[in-house]
PDB file of all heavy atoms in Angstrom:
ATOM      1  N   LYS A 909       1.233   5.996  15.240  1.00  0.00           N
ATOM      2  CA  LYS A 909      -0.184   5.806  15.207  1.00  0.00           C
ATOM      3  C   LYS A 909      -0.639   5.069  16.472  1.00  0.00           C
ATOM      4  O   LYS A 909       0.108   4.260  16.985  1.00  0.00           O
ATOM      5  CB  LYS A 909      -0.552   4.996  13.997  1.00  0.00           C
ATOM      6  CG  LYS A 909      -0.120   5.549  12.641  1.00  0.00           C
ATOM      7  CD  LYS A 909      -1.008   6.640  12.282  1.00  0.00           C
ATOM      8  CE  LYS A 909      -0.509   7.153  10.828  1.00  0.00           C
ATOM      9  NZ  LYS A 909      -1.393   8.118  10.265  1.00  0.00           N
ATOM     10  N   LYS A 910      -1.873   5.341  16.940  1.00  0.00           N
ATOM     11  CA  LYS A 910      -2.462   4.667  18.100  1.00  0.00           C
ATOM     12  C   LYS A 910      -3.644   3.922  17.592  1.00  0.00           C
ATOM     13  O   LYS A 910      -4.389   4.374  16.743  1.00  0.00           O
ATOM     14  CB  LYS A 910      -2.894   5.726  19.135  1.00  0.00           C
ATOM     15  CG  LYS A 910      -1.754   6.436  19.804  1.00  0.00           C
ATOM     16  CD  LYS A 910      -2.350   7.423  20.834  1.00  0.00           C
ATOM     17  CE  LYS A 910      -1.280   8.323  21.323  1.00  0.00           C
ATOM     18  NZ  LYS A 910      -1.786   9.359  22.207  1.00  0.00           N
ATOM     19  N   PHE A 911      -3.843   2.737  18.168  1.00  0.00           N
ATOM     20  CA  PHE A 911      -5.033   1.875  17.787  1.00  0.00           C
ATOM     21  C   PHE A 911      -5.726   1.405  19.049  1.00  0.00           C
ATOM     22  O   PHE A 911      -5.123   1.295  20.111  1.00  0.00           O
ATOM     23  CB  PHE A 911      -4.445   0.640  17.078  1.00  0.00           C
ATOM     24  CG  PHE A 911      -3.997   0.985  15.586  1.00  0.00           C
ATOM     25  CD1 PHE A 911      -2.775   1.559  15.446  1.00  0.00           C
ATOM     26  CD2 PHE A 911      -4.888   0.663  14.541  1.00  0.00           C
ATOM     27  CE1 PHE A 911      -2.382   1.817  14.156  1.00  0.00           C
ATOM     28  CE2 PHE A 911      -4.468   0.991  13.279  1.00  0.00           C
ATOM     29  CZ  PHE A 911      -3.246   1.576  13.025  1.00  0.00           C
ATOM     30  N   VAL A 912      -7.014   1.111  18.917  1.00  0.00           N
ATOM     31  CA  VAL A 912      -7.862   0.500  19.893  1.00  0.00           C
ATOM     32  C   VAL A 912      -8.640  -0.707  19.313  1.00  0.00           C
ATOM     33  O   VAL A 912      -8.803  -0.729  18.054  1.00  0.00           O
ATOM     34  CB  VAL A 912      -8.833   1.466  20.561  1.00  0.00           C
ATOM     35  CG1 VAL A 912      -8.162   2.563  21.316  1.00  0.00           C
ATOM     36  CG2 VAL A 912      -9.800   2.146  19.516  1.00  0.00           C
ATOM     37  N   LEU A 913      -9.056  -1.484  20.166  1.00  0.00           N
ATOM     38  CA  LEU A 913      -9.830  -2.707  19.820  1.00  0.00           C
ATOM     39  C   LEU A 913     -11.245  -2.276  19.345  1.00  0.00           C
ATOM     40  O   LEU A 913     -11.879  -1.500  20.035  1.00  0.00           O
ATOM     41  CB  LEU A 913      -9.882  -3.699  20.978  1.00  0.00           C
ATOM     42  CG  LEU A 913     -10.675  -5.007  20.708  1.00  0.00           C
ATOM     43  CD1 LEU A 913      -9.879  -5.886  19.798  1.00  0.00           C
ATOM     44  CD2 LEU A 913     -10.938  -5.664  22.026  1.00  0.00           C
ATOM     45  N   VAL A 914     -11.735  -2.945  18.253  1.00  0.00           N
ATOM     46  CA  VAL A 914     -13.106  -2.818  17.812  1.00  0.00           C
ATOM     47  C   VAL A 914     -13.862  -4.052  18.220  1.00  0.00           C
ATOM     48  O   VAL A 914     -14.937  -4.070  18.820  1.00  0.00           O
ATOM     49  CB  VAL A 914     -13.217  -2.621  16.280  1.00  0.00           C
ATOM     50  CG1 VAL A 914     -14.679  -2.677  15.829  1.00  0.00           C
ATOM     51  CG2 VAL A 914     -12.554  -1.366  15.838  1.00  0.00           C
ATOM     52  N   GLN A 915     -13.256  -5.280  17.951  1.00  0.00           N
ATOM     53  CA  GLN A 915     -13.864  -6.481  18.382  1.00  0.00           C
ATOM     54  C   GLN A 915     -12.841  -7.567  18.525  1.00  0.00           C
ATOM     55  O   GLN A 915     -11.749  -7.436  17.901  1.00  0.00           O
ATOM     56  CB  GLN A 915     -15.016  -6.971  17.441  1.00  0.00           C
ATOM     57  CG  GLN A 915     -14.545  -7.380  15.969  1.00  0.00           C
ATOM     58  CD  GLN A 915     -14.092  -8.893  15.902  1.00  0.00           C
ATOM     59  OE1 GLN A 915     -14.421  -9.680  16.755  1.00  0.00           O
ATOM     60  NE2 GLN A 915     -13.216  -9.145  14.973  1.00  0.00           N
ATOM     61  N   ASN A 916     -13.130  -8.589  19.412  1.00  0.00           N
ATOM     62  CA  ASN A 916     -12.104  -9.649  19.593  1.00  0.00           C
ATOM     63  C   ASN A 916     -12.859 -10.967  19.892  1.00  0.00           C
ATOM     64  O   ASN A 916     -13.972 -10.981  20.452  1.00  0.00           O
ATOM     65  CB  ASN A 916     -11.265  -9.288  20.798  1.00  0.00           C
ATOM     66  CG  ASN A 916      -9.936 -10.028  20.879  1.00  0.00           C
ATOM     67  OD1 ASN A 916      -9.602 -10.817  19.931  1.00  0.00           O
ATOM     68  ND2 ASN A 916      -9.110  -9.752  21.900  1.00  0.00           N
ATOM     69  N   SER A 917     -12.251 -12.093  19.586  1.00  0.00           N
ATOM     70  CA  SER A 917     -12.737 -13.393  19.910  1.00  0.00           C
ATOM     71  C   SER A 917     -12.619 -13.638  21.398  1.00  0.00           C
ATOM     72  O   SER A 917     -11.897 -12.927  22.102  1.00  0.00           O
ATOM     73  CB  SER A 917     -11.996 -14.481  19.151  1.00  0.00           C
ATOM     74  OG  SER A 917     -12.067 -14.398  17.748  1.00  0.00           O
TER      75      SER A 917
END
Side-chain angles (χ1 to χ4, degrees):
K909 303 283 185 171
K910 293 180 190 173
F911 287 79
V912 293
L913 178 73
V914 174
Q915 69 83 23
N916 201 1
S917 296

